[in-house]
Amino acid sequence: MSSDGAGGADESATESDVEAAFADGPALLSYVVAGDPDAESTAEYVRALARGGADVIELGLPFSEPIAEGPTIQQAIRRALDAGMTPDRYFDLAAELSEEVDVPLVCMTYYNLIYQYGSEEGPEPFVAAAAEAGISGLIVPDLPVDESAPLKAACEDHGLDLVFIVAPTTTDERLGRMLDRASGFVYVQGRLGTTGARSDVSSETHGSLDRLAETDLPKAVGFGISEREHAREIVAGGADGVVVGSEFVDIVASGENVADRLEAKARELKQGALDGATEVPEPEGK
Amino acid sequence: MSSESKFGEYGGQYVPEALMPAIEELTDAYERYVLDNEDGFMDEFRQRLRDFGGRPTPLQRADRLSERYDREVYLKREDLLHGGAHKLNNALGQVLLAKYMGKERIVAETGAGQHGTATAMACAHLDVDCEIYMGRTDINRQRPNVFRMRIHDAEVNPVDIGSGTLKEAINETMRDWATNVEDTHYVIGSVVGPHPFPRMVRDFQSVISEEARDQIRAKAGRLPDSVVACAGGGSNTMGAFHEFVGDGDVDLVAVEAGGSGLAIDEEEELAPHSASLSTGDDGVLHGARTKLLQSRDGQILESHSVSAGLDYSGVGPELAHLADEGRVTPVNVGDDAALEAFHRLSKTEGIIPALESSHALAYLEEHPDELGDLVVVNVSGRGDKDLDTVIEESARRNLDAAPTMEVFDGEQ
């Protein structure tokens, strides 16, 4: 799906592709690293995730210093870089996929790649190329709201969403500033630390969701989700979606029957999210 | 706050959101305790630098170097600071600040091991838990410092990712900090990272130039023509320069590691040097916008130097700014010249310099006429930690300056 919603006719009811992905119930947002282990495989995996019910696909553009990632994704990024993934090849892959797959693609990467791209200084050339390739939004883990003005301006010019990550430590004052600039959805970091599959859902997740209860934008929880039960619990706790990365990246790393397993895993997680939505949320009054 | 977080276009706060509240808390603590001396923080810091650290360090006239180069050469002897390097100035400052902030745990990264050692030492002195991240390559080439950290009761966590040097150790320490941010302070080891680190580390290190400025006036009756310091991340550099920045007649010369050459291997994503100040491009790494060794696509290149302490792909944002402004002159010398300078100072002055500092001394050898009649060289640390590397690398290169060691080399 191309992001031609940018500057569309009815500005008053502007809802981006990414935001629209949450319209029909709880969403599954899945992440894989572009180029892990090679671009052709990534294309196949993205199609499999879409078949399994992923509503948004985060396509990681690998950066050599991924400080927000745990070991699983660090290794995937290393594999992709070793296999020759570059921003230009990434945009080629995204352009191909955005034509084929009816799910919005979001680029997750680090700021240096955005800043460095193209001949002129600043984020504009990267955002223009991303829009051209059919990318619908950006997530930049090392770009807090305080430094985001140039990128936000470029994203607005090209009709891309800029998604901010809300951490358990985020103060109310910072949360307000982030929500002023956020679009697409709010990425709720379920726990402190780096990415990586965990065996439980953190209590910090519920606190974060409570603080966002009044927010109009959809809220998706990530960092540590790997099982159907996690997805159910998070959606039952008030989230509009779940973000799953390391679990899928682990399947890619295994190299065995990858596409089928990705599809099955996506289906399982999506079902968990749907199960959670049918529950009456308990008011977690402490 | 945003204007103060930058040096011109450089600096800023590019970190994951989870760390931002801690960085805001640290900024507040920096302003209150360091800048405003709240609760007498700076008084206690300076008292501990004297009594525990052994400050002031001497400014020594190097008689034989002065004769050799036919000019007055003075050495600022940071190698005589407790622990054997300037690193204690910053480590003591930050660990003390963490205590004032009520943090219970310290994490730090280290390259050459001097910062890790200084941090472990400061933590033992101030009774705080300490964990150090160090790349596997650096562990192998700086073993004495690993033992020193362990002896001070610090945990040393090897980092196996990438080239196993300082860049990877910083990444891993940031990950630990992001996980344990509520009770943990990250003692960054140089004038790098997000605001307020570059400013705060510079402030803790500026005691070097504060003393040197007074000492050279007392000894030579005037300010120097130039101050020379090696530059990796740049903490001894900014420490040695800061109080002279306003003295327009004093040249500030930052000597980077030219390694084995300046040409970059784009295919291998490898720079055979660490000269990010003189050859790097503007980019964002480890929390700040600064000059970086990077590929055209923005991937960070692995750097190289015979000196583990200079082996880093970035440089402090304030140095990047001062270099752009023309206030600091970035230069570089190669591995061989640094090794020769190591042996020269050891033989002629009875001082074994760190391989880092040897770069500054090598520039003095190569370009004495460009430094004027009165020169201050910052000897940032002592070279005991580098002996294994120096013996091995000198033998490999058949350096004339090096003593022959084979017959003592444990042959049965």
Side-chain angles (χ1 to χ4, degrees), chain B residues 283-304:
Chain B
V284 174
L285 177 68
H286 294 147
R289 185 169 152 186
T290 187
K291 285 185 186 289
L292 304 173
L293 299 178
Q294 56 186 321
S295 71
R296 275 190 296 273
D297 287 334
Q299 305 295 355
I300 307 304
L301 301 172
E302 300 293 349
S303 57
H304 162 80

Side-chain angles (χ1 to χ4, degrees), chain B residues 171-209:
Chain B
N171 293 340
E172 211 51 41
T173 318
M174 283 217 172
R175 292 184 184 109
D176 183 313
W177 194 27
T179 308
N180 302 295
V181 64
E182 285 162 322
D183 69 348
T184 297
H185 174 66
Y186 175 10
V187 179
I188 288 188
S190 192
V191 286
V192 301
H195 174 74
F197 283 104
R199 234 168 250 278
M200 181 173 71
V201 176
R202 176 205 70 196
D203 288 350
F204 289 142
Q205 291 292 1
S206 64
V207 64
I208 301 171
S209 47

Side-chain angles (χ1 to χ4, degrees), chain B residues 211-274:
Chain B
E211 288 175 5
R213 201 168 180 282
D214 290 344
Q215 289 166 324
I216 194 75
R217 280 182 137 161
K219 292 190 181 228
R222 69 176 177 95
L223 292 179
D225 295 313
S226 56
V227 179
V228 187
C230 64
S235 73
N236 96 87
T237 335
M238 278 315 306
F241 291 174
H242 182 62
E243 295 295 320
F244 291 107
V245 168
D247 302 319
D249 291 340
V250 180
D251 289 343
L252 305 174
V253 181
V255 187
E256 297 194 285
S260 56
L262 294 184
I264 282 174
D265 184 342
E266 281 260 354
E267 280 290 300
E268 293 292 317
E269 302 218 326
L270 197 109
H273 62 87
S274 305

Side-chain angles (χ1 to χ4, degrees), chain A:
Chain A
M1 181 187 292
S2 73
S3 60
D4 57 0
D10 52 344
E11 285 285 337
S12 58
T14 304
E15 187 181 62
S16 69
D17 293 345
V18 177
E19 199 175 341
F22 292 82
D24 300 325
L28 170 65
L29 296 83
S30 62
Y31 169 96
V32 285
V33 177
D36 170 28
D38 54 60
E40 297 73 32
S41 303
T42 303
E44 185 191 349
Y45 301 159
V46 166
R47 290 190 287 265
L49 289 166
R51 283 197 303 276
D55 301 287
V56 174
I57 291 174
E58 292 176 17
L59 201 51
L61 167 58
F63 176 52
S64 56
E65 319 300 319
I67 57 170
E69 316 297 350
T72 303
I73 292 176
Q74 282 179 55
Q75 286 156 13
I77 284 172
R78 195 66 257 165
R79 288 192 296 271
L81 287 173
D82 288 346
M85 183 47 68
T86 65
D88 282 329
R89 286 175 195 162
Y90 176 91
F91 290 133
D92 289 345
L93 175 64
E96 176 193 332
L97 285 169
S98 63
E99 291 292 321
E100 284 182 30
V101 181
D102 191 24
V103 172
L105 298 176
V106 171
C107 172
M108 184 153 178
T109 194
Y110 287 77
Y111 194 57
N112 197 49
L113 296 190
I114 295 173
Y115 182 79
Q116 199 66 21
Y117 187 80
S119 52
E120 77 186 76
E121 200 172 79
E124 207 281 336
F126 184 95
V127 178
E132 178 72 27
I135 296 280
S136 301
L138 295 176
I139 304 174
V140 191
D142 64 343
L143 191 74
V145 65
D146 319 66
E147 303 283 358
S148 67
L151 182 59
K152 179 65 184 172
C155 284
E156 280 181 350
D157 286 349
H158 292 277
L160 264 67
D161 286 319
L162 182 57
V163 175
F164 288 101
I165 299 175
V166 175
T169 47
T170 300
T171 58
D172 289 340
E173 186 270 333
R174 293 189 59 77
L175 185 59
R177 279 192 285 146
M178 289 160 72
L179 293 177
D180 284 345
R181 281 205 185 154
S183 60
F185 70 98
V186 181
Y187 190 138
V188 179
Q189 180 178 338
R191 65 180 72 226
L192 284 175
T194 55
T195 55
R198 311 294 209 289
S199 59
D200 63 334
V201 174
S202 168
S203 59
E204 289 167 337
T205 306
H206 300 292
S208 296
L209 287 171
D210 288 348
R211 291 203 294 152
L212 285 159
E214 303 299 312
T215 308
D216 288 339
L217 283 173
K219 299 164 282 290
V221 176
F223 280 51
I225 297 163
S226 61
E227 294 171 18
R228 173 176 175 159
E229 182 56 22
H230 301 161
R232 184 201 62 76
E233 187 181 337
I234 283 167
V235 171
D240 303 295
V242 293
V243 187
V244 180
S246 296
E247 184 67 13
F248 290 127
V249 172
D250 264 336
I251 293 173
V252 172
S254 76
E256 291 171 18
N257 202 16
V258 175
D260 287 348
R261 287 171 61 206
L262 288 175
E263 183 179 340
K265 191 72 193 181
R267 190 161 284 125
E268 172 198 325
L269 289 158
K270 174 79 181 180
Q271 189 57 52
L274 290 168
D275 293 347
T278 61
E279 292 182 20
V280 180
E282 288 177 36
E284 278 276 332
K286 282 192 185 172

Side-chain angles (χ1 to χ4, degrees), chain B residues 333-347:
Chain B
V333 300
D335 287 344
D336 288 2
L339 284 162
E340 282 168 7
F342 173 98
H343 292 297
R344 189 179 310 116
L345 195 73
S346 302
K347 281 181 194 170

